[in-house]
Amino acid sequence: MRDENVAIKIVEALPLEGFEQVIEIGPGDGVLSKYLLDRYDNILFFDVDQESITHLKNAYPMHRDKFILQDFIAFKPTVETAVIGNFPYNISSQILFRCLEFKDRIPEVVGMFQREVAQRIAQGPGSKQYGILSVFMQAYYDIEYLFTVDEDVFDPPPKVKSGVIRCIRNERKALPCDEKLFKTVVKTAFNQRRKTLRNSLKPLLRGLELPEKYSWERPEQCSVEDFILLTELINNNTA
């Protein structure tokens, strides 16, 4: 990315205070890193590319220990950690699933994604883009789509636009249902998203008749709360 104004907008989307630790994922050449270093003393930079880490250590010799050859997917935060980055698009969903695993230690995520992925995460029920990742993220985070980034700010320019979102941990401490079953219900429903819930969830229902509201709805019409209720109905039916 070569547009400094976009870099500043991404960095400034993350609050100055409130985190014990901040991690940038995939700093690359450091277009965000230089502004993050100005804002946070408690910042670390993770990249799996040795060349990138070496470049950044040489560019910022006073902060060499902050640049770490580390795969975020394998990282386990032990303190309250904010996550930010121009995320590698091929693992951006994996990054969010990892954040969900440590949702009680990751209160905020600001990231740039392929635009379609960013929109999918932020969309609510009723949209064709709304899906599995939307439900899982929105169960625990309030999502805000901040802005779109055009192809020409990159060198070389990609074939897709990008989107920046902010995810802020909501007040839900835990789901009021079996979380493992909740995930199964959501995945089962969306794996056959063109079908009504009565049909897509048939393998889990075991003869259970769904309330009329859900019998004819499709998964993209259901909110997080709807999926919680469906999970409770299915769980009570099999108890």
Side-chain angles (χ1 to χ4, degrees):
M1 188 168 65
R2 55 185 174 81
D3 190 312
E4 299 291 328
N5 290 325
V6 172
I8 291 170
K9 284 177 69 176
I10 294 172
V11 169
E12 290 184 345
L14 191 68
L16 270 171
E17 298 177 344
F19 316 112
E20 293 180 69
Q21 180 174 256
V22 179
I23 290 177
E24 183 190 359
I25 300 174
D29 291 337
V31 65
L32 301 183
S33 308
K34 57 187 174 185
Y35 299 110
L36 290 166
L37 280 168
D38 287 340
R39 286 170 66 88
Y40 305 103
D41 292 328
N42 54 340
I43 180 85
L44 296 174
F45 305 87
F46 287 1
D47 206 306
V48 296
D49 182 62
Q50 181 64 70
E51 186 176 338
S52 173
I53 293 296
T54 300
H55 163 74
L56 292 168
K57 285 185 174 184
N58 291 335
Y60 303 100
M62 296 291 291
H63 303 284
R64 289 179 61 86
D65 60 333
K66 295 180 181 293
F67 299 100
I68 302 169
L69 190 67
Q70 167 77 55
D71 183 356
F72 177 77
I73 303 302
F75 176 67
K76 297 180 179 180
T78 57
V79 298
E80 196 168 71
T81 301
V83 173
I84 189 169
N86 173 12
F87 299 146
Y89 291 171
N90 62 322
I91 62 164
S92 59
S93 294
Q94 293 179 53
I95 289 170
L96 290 183
F97 281 120
R98 190 62 171 172
C99 289
L100 281 171
E101 286 185 55
F102 292 92
K103 54 189 175 291
D104 294 331
R105 295 176 188 169
I106 299 180
E108 194 153 341
V109 180
V110 172
M112 181 157 63
F113 301 77
Q114 184 175 325
R115 182 175 63 173
E116 287 72 16
V117 175
Q119 290 173 332
R120 187 183 311 138
I121 297 162
Q123 284 289 353
S127 167
K128 290 183 179 180
Q129 295 170 311
Y130 182 72
I132 294 172
L133 188 57
S134 317
V135 176
F136 288 171
M137 285 298 295
Q138 291 173 31
Y140 293 105
Y141 289 88
D142 296 326
I143 317 293
E144 182 181 3
Y145 187 96
L146 298 179
F147 55 90
T148 297
V149 180
D150 291 332
E151 301 92 329
D152 60 4
V153 308
F154 297 93
D155 187 18
K159 295 181 180 180
V160 296
K161 294 185 184 296
S162 302
V164 178
I165 61 171
R166 177 168 52 216
C167 312
I168 301 174
R169 186 74 169 85
N170 61 29
E171 295 183 359
R172 182 179 278 128
K173 299 299 182 185
L175 296 181
C177 64
D178 184 297
E179 185 169 331
K180 184 177 179 180
L181 181 58
F182 172 83
K183 292 177 179 178
T184 299
V185 170
V186 173
K187 289 179 180 178
T188 302
F190 278 104
N191 282 341
Q192 301 186 72
R193 63 183 301 147
R194 292 187 178 183
K195 292 186 177 182
T196 63
L197 291 167
R198 170 183 284 176
N199 291 321
S200 64
L201 293 177
K202 189 173 290 185
L204 302 176
L205 295 178
R206 297 183 183 181
L208 172 69
E209 286 293 328
L210 292 177
E212 189 68 19
K213 166 181 168 59
Y214 299 115
S215 292
W216 306 109
E217 284 191 345
R218 289 178 169 78
E220 64 267 20
Q221 297 173 275
C222 292
S223 67
V224 172
E225 286 69 28
D226 288 325
F227 279 111
I228 289 172
L229 178 57
L230 285 166
T231 302
E232 290 180 311
L233 289 171
I234 291 170
N235 191 48
N236 290 339
N237 186 56
T238 57

